[in-house]
Amino acid sequence: MEDPTAKTAIVLSAVEDTLKDQNHVATPTAYFAALLALLSQSIVPPDGIVNKDLASSVVYLLDLVTSHVPAALLRSKFSQILTSLGPTLTNQDVEAPLLRSSIGCLESLLVAQDSTAWALSQTQISPRRAVAGLLALASEHRPKVRKRAQEAITQVLKHPPPSPSLDHPVADMCAETALKALSDALAASGAKKRKGKGHAQEQHQPGLMHALQLVKAVTSASGGWPSKKMEPLCEILLAVSRSNNEYLTMSAFEVFEIMFRRTADQFSSSKLPRLMEAVSELKPSQNDSQLLPPWIAVISRGYDVSAQISPEETFHELPALFGMVSEYLSSSSHNIRVSASECLISFLVNCIPDNVIAEPSVMDEKVLEKLARAAEELLSVKYQAAWMEVFQVQSAFLEALRWRAFPLARNIVASIGDLRASDSFNGKKEADAVLGKAIQSMGPAAVLEILPLNLRTPQQGRPGRAWLLPLLRDNIINTNLAHFRSEFVPLSEAMYQRVINHGRSEKTMEIKIFETIVQQTWSLLPGYCNLPLDLEKAFDQEFAELLSNLLYSQPELRADICRGLQTLVESNREVLAAEAGEKEIQFRSRVTKNTAQVNLDHLATFAGNMLAVLFNVYSQTLPQYRGYILQCINAYLSITKEK
């Protein structure tokens, strides 16, 4: 069998010889003219393809050269080329390689057409007629032909003629054809299912898959899916997403994803409100466990895109959206509850702009208050079955609000703290995660105002909350060091005094608890030293002397104190080394680079005395326990001023 590539090389050589004989410069236009002459010899309407080998080579070469030919020439030759290619595009017996090359020629030809040409009706030899042919080929049974036709449709739609319209002149036509193909395929699939061939057919539905691919091709164009056709498409896509066939469900969601991605472009962002309106109007019934999860996922992704395009407007819609999706947390279906909680978390992560937290307007504060009330409502008995999901939402809410969480989330923290203290409550781990976020966001001072430790002077009806100490240790960051001095230094002294008062007698369980509380209290110091907001005021001579005395007198506290001292230096140096912009740094850490430098300069004034203490302690410590002391020494050596 003769190699097709060799045949093509012979044809190309003949074309080049002809161009030389006629003294033509070998330009794309010259090749194009010569190939058109050969095309008329190999394909003769109405006889069809009279020389298959020559036709295959010529059309292949035309496919390569047509995209480089001036658009005006392609427009003038449109009827001639389309008529010549007609037999290759409409004959079912044409081999796939020739058909793919013909589609490529047609694509280049259509991309070059102007508004006048696109205005011609489909009954004429016109671009619309050619697109109708491409749409038919887009559902071809041969995968490579089908894919090439779909790619051509996307490319044509991506290159509309100059016009005020967002959409290509044939976008509606392509959308209608794709929509009908998808609707027919879905109806056929349903009919087979009803006849009892359900499961096998569900796993292999080529008609539906091909129709979805065509929809994807139309949606992928720069203008996206036409606005007028959004609602029927959304309805069908949601119906497809109910399928047990994972590939179909994923394909349906891919189309939604492409639609949202397209509307995120500035060019077609005006379509987003209509798209979201169409999706919202298709809200399934309250307990539809098949359709609700995919619908909620689409809503979640849609408002993520909306927040990127219109952050302020989307934020102000948030309380209503939050209320709408919250209702599904009362569902008896676990899948629906999980989908609803994931959607609410997405809203909180993506739809609250940084500037609302940094500098909220009066209107912003009202929206945040509404959100707080909605989040608080989730802890009511109505949502008790979903409390594990609700706790995840509360964690996201606290994290999103940052320091604005206090006093907005005061009641949420109080309620979860009360639940956590109950012996009969089984969700302690989940409650701890929420309270951890509260400590990170609103700070330990606010959390302890809501949930006091009650350890120094226990009273009837005021339970001790020693269980909060490990949570505080793991979550304190970027807060006021002065709070450690006012709250925990006195607590440590009181507990330690009780241990001293016990004397040398055998330790009781109570004394062991006091010792543990002292240890846990000082384990909080590294968190308070992680980028404190008040370092210059809170770290004074008195506090430095206290730490020095404890380093000498209480070896069991040395590790935490050294880690705290080291963290004071390193956390501020990290801010100085950050490459982000000043505004972002200040929002993330609430400390500017300038403040971080002031903090390090302040610490440097204590470095000499602190290093003397550390070297003394180092010499008194066994070699295997010196690692953390050495790291702390290195940190203070790095900020010591040279004399």
Side-chain angles (χ1 to χ4, degrees):
M1 185 176 175
E2 196 173 344
D3 182 8
T5 310
K7 292 178 183 178
T8 303
I10 292 168
V11 172
L12 179 59
S13 179
V15 168
E16 288 176 338
D17 288 343
T18 303
L19 292 177
K20 282 180 185 175
D21 292 344
Q22 296 176 356
N23 294 320
H24 287 306
V25 180
T27 61
T29 303
Y31 277 105
F32 180 70
L35 289 167
L36 275 187
L38 286 173
L39 183 65
S40 62
Q41 296 173 28
S42 59
I43 304 173
V44 184
D47 298 334
I49 302 169
V50 295
N51 186 333
K52 188 181 77 172
D53 290 344
L54 180 59
S56 297
S57 297
V58 170
V59 175
Y60 174 79
L61 292 169
L62 266 175
D63 183 17
L64 295 178
V65 81
T66 306
S67 59
H68 301 283
V69 174
L73 179 59
L74 292 179
R75 287 197 289 272
S76 68
K77 296 288 183 182
F78 180 84
S79 297
Q80 178 191 340
I81 299 171
L82 185 59
T83 303
S84 298
L85 290 176
T88 68
L89 294 165
T90 55
N91 190 332
Q92 292 183 347
D93 298 326
V94 172
E95 292 178 355
L98 174 55
L99 192 48
R100 292 204 306 274
S101 297
S102 300
I103 291 169
C105 290
L106 196 55
E107 176 191 312
S108 299
L109 200 59
L110 290 169
V111 165
Q113 300 307 303
D114 57 18
S115 298
T116 306
W118 285 113
L120 297 172
S121 74
Q122 198 174 322
T123 56
Q124 300 170 268
I125 299 176
S126 65
R128 285 180 177 271
R129 191 173 192 173
V131 170
L134 281 179
L135 288 166
L137 291 170
S139 298
E140 242 268 359
H141 65 280
R142 289 172 287 187
K144 290 184 178 178
V145 173
R146 185 173 63 248
K147 185 182 179 189
R148 186 66 190 90
Q150 290 167 359
E151 288 171 351
I153 289 167
T154 302
Q155 284 305 310
V156 170
L157 293 176
K158 278 184 176 178
H159 295 86
S163 157
S165 172
L166 284 176
D167 299 323
H168 194 287
V170 288
D172 274 359
M173 171 184 163
C174 293
E176 281 174 15
T177 305
L179 205 53
K180 187 176 187 308
L182 186 57
S183 181
D184 291 348
L186 189 63
S189 169
K192 286 176 183 175
K193 215 171 174 182
R194 286 191 292 275
K195 286 180 182 176
K197 301 176 183 176
H199 187 69
Q201 291 296 335
E202 191 96 3
Q203 297 309 312
H204 184 68
Q205 301 182 62
L208 256 178
M209 291 179 184
H210 299 166
L212 275 169
Q213 287 167 353
L214 178 55
V215 168
K216 219 181 287 185
V218 177
T219 312
S220 297
S222 52
W225 191 266
S227 301
K228 296 173 188 174
K229 303 286 187 297
M230 277 184 177
E231 194 165 344
L233 176 61
C234 291
E235 191 169 359
I236 293 175
L237 287 175
L238 284 168
V240 172
S241 68
R242 298 178 68 171
S243 168
N244 293 327
N245 183 325
E246 285 185 16
Y247 179 81
L248 283 177
T249 304
M250 284 172 58
S251 294
F253 276 105
E254 277 177 30
V255 177
F256 273 119
E257 179 63 28
I258 293 167
M259 290 169 79
F260 288 132
R261 202 163 59 236
R262 288 266 73 88
T263 56
D265 297 341
Q266 188 178 6
F267 179 63
S268 51
S269 60
S270 59
K271 291 185 178 182
L272 183 63
R274 184 70 200 101
L275 174 57
M276 293 312 303
E277 190 182 325
V279 173
S280 299
E281 286 170 0
L282 295 168
K283 184 165 72 170
S285 62
Q286 186 80 10
N287 292 305
D288 190 333
S289 58
Q290 268 193 302
L291 197 49
L292 260 176
W295 179 81
I296 291 171
V298 171
I299 286 285
S300 173
R301 179 67 181 116
Y303 280 102
D304 177 10
V305 173
S306 178
Q308 295 170 39
I309 297 170
S310 309
E312 289 295 328
E313 291 84 343
T314 306
F315 171 66
H316 290 150
E317 288 181 47
L318 206 47
L321 293 170
F322 202 90
M324 176 183 75
V325 177
S326 295
E327 288 301 310
Y328 297 113
L329 286 171
S330 62
S331 171
S332 57
S333 163
H334 179 254
N335 286 346
I336 292 175
R337 296 200 302 269
V338 169
S339 294
S341 66
E342 288 174 349
C343 181
L344 292 174
I345 290 167
S346 174
F347 286 164
L348 293 166
V349 169
N350 298 311
C351 301
I352 301 179
D354 289 352
N355 64 290
V356 165
I357 302 301
E359 297 176 289
S361 65
V362 174
M363 184 63 75
D364 292 340
E365 287 178 346
K366 288 181 179 177
V367 173
L368 290 173
E369 286 169 10
K370 288 179 183 176
L371 271 179
R373 286 195 292 272
E376 189 180 330
E377 176 64 24
L378 297 181
L379 292 169
S380 64
V381 177
K382 176 182 177 181
Y383 301 107
Q384 193 165 354
W387 269 359
M388 295 307 103
E389 290 82 27
V390 164
F391 282 1
Q392 292 175 358
V393 175
Q394 304 293 11
S395 291
F397 179 64
L398 288 160
E399 190 170 8
L401 261 60
R402 304 283 303 282
W403 63 91
R404 302 283 174 199
F406 186 79
L408 287 171
R410 183 188 189 103
N411 292 342
I412 293 170
V413 174
S415 299
I416 292 177
D418 290 344
L419 284 170
R420 170 63 174 77
S422 170
D423 293 335
S424 60
F425 183 63
N426 294 322
K428 286 183 167 57
K429 182 181 176 184
E430 291 77 8
D432 283 352
V434 181
L435 294 174
K437 289 296 180 190
I439 293 164
Q440 291 173 23
S441 301
M442 59 174 66
V447 172
L448 293 176
E449 182 182 318
I450 302 164
L451 302 170
L453 287 171
N454 296 334
L455 295 177
R456 289 175 68 184
T457 52
Q459 295 177 14
Q460 190 72 28
R462 295 181 63 195
R465 295 189 177 92
W467 52 266
L468 265 176
L469 289 170
L471 277 180
L472 289 162
R473 178 196 64 211
D474 295 340
N475 292 286
I476 291 173
I477 186 172
N478 199 201
T479 190
N480 290 313
L481 180 58
H483 181 253
F484 179 82
R485 294 185 62 180
S486 63
E487 178 79 17
F488 290 105
V489 170
L491 173 63
S492 168
E493 289 171 347
M495 295 296 120
Y496 189 66
Q497 189 60 49
R498 292 178 190 181
V499 175
I500 297 298
N501 292 345
H502 187 71
R504 296 181 178 273
S505 307
E506 186 180 342
K507 291 179 181 177
T508 62
M509 181 58 70
E510 188 179 33
I511 294 302
K512 289 178 181 178
I513 289 171
F514 293 152
E515 286 181 334
T516 301
I517 291 174
V518 171
Q519 193 74 47
Q520 288 182 322
T521 297
W522 283 94
S523 73
L524 308 183
L525 181 64
Y528 277 99
C529 291
N530 193 339
L531 211 58
L533 303 174
D534 59 348
L535 187 148
E536 200 176 0
K537 287 184 179 178
F539 195 91
D540 56 14
Q541 187 62 37
E542 183 185 347
F543 190 55
E545 287 174 3
L546 171 66
L547 297 181
S548 299
N549 291 335
L550 289 172
L551 282 170
Y552 282 125
S553 63
Q554 296 193 44
E556 67 276 9
L557 302 182
R558 283 175 185 168
D560 287 321
I561 293 172
C562 283
R563 272 187 32 242
L565 288 168
Q566 181 185 343
T567 304
L568 280 174
V569 174
E570 292 182 348
S571 60
N572 280 284
R573 293 188 73 169
E574 282 174 14
V575 171
L576 285 178
E579 294 181 0
E582 189 67 30
K583 273 192 173 181
E584 185 181 343
I585 292 171
Q586 186 168 5
F587 179 73
R588 297 298 163 204
S589 62
R590 299 170 72 191
V591 170
T592 63
K593 284 193 174 189
N594 183 54
T595 304
Q597 186 60 61
V598 169
N599 288 342
L600 289 173
D601 292 343
H602 178 70
L603 288 172
T605 63
F606 295 92
N609 290 338
M610 196 58 71
L611 283 167
V613 173
L614 288 167
F615 279 122
N616 284 335
V617 171
Y618 180 84
S619 65
Q620 297 168 16
T621 306
L622 291 171
Q624 62 265 39
Y625 302 119
R626 289 173 171 173
Y628 60 85
I629 304 174
L630 187 58
Q631 289 173 353
C632 188
I633 288 170
N634 287 336
Y636 280 83
L637 283 172
S638 72
I639 60 169
T640 303
K641 303 287 185 184
E642 291 185 17
K643 292 186 179 178

